[in-house]
Amino acid sequence: MDETCQHLTYREEGDGKSFETARAFCAVTESFVQPMRADVCNARYDLDPATDCEFYFDPDAETTDGTDADGDR
Ligand code: SF4
């Protein structure tokens, strides 16, 4: 993956504060992304959110192992 993390959003307020410019916010940790982490979130410098971030998870992963695919058995 060389794309921005799908859990990355931008918010202009949070943690009881508001900002003039939207800041990077992680939907997994429910916290603003620190500047060092933002490079991973944005997949800069060949970083990959899926492998380089310990918070990342793949929301599609559960449906690809077959356990939830057939519910009528
Ligand atoms: S890379 Fe990690 S910290 Fe950044 S938005 Fe994705 S899950 Fe959150």
Side-chain angles (χ1 to χ4, degrees):
M1 184 195 295
D2 57 359
E3 300 170 4
T4 297
C5 180
Q6 61 187 302
H7 302 298
L8 181 66
T9 60
Y10 282 85
R11 296 192 181 182
E12 290 184 8
E13 57 185 27
D15 293 343
K17 303 173 197 158
S18 64
F19 313 99
E20 283 185 23
T21 305
R23 294 179 56 189
F25 186 89
C26 173
V28 176
T29 63
E30 303 239 322
S31 61
F32 286 101
V33 173
Q34 298 300 310
M36 290 284 288
R37 172 75 55 176
D39 289 336
V40 178
C41 305
N42 286 293
R44 294 188 191 118
Y45 312 118
D46 286 334
L47 293 165
D48 184 342
T51 55
D52 295 319
C53 177
E54 65 271 36
F55 306 120
Y56 181 89
F57 70 93
D58 185 348
D60 296 330
E62 280 183 31
T63 56
T64 55
D65 64 3
T67 53
D68 290 332
D70 192 355
D72 62 359
R73 258 194 257 169

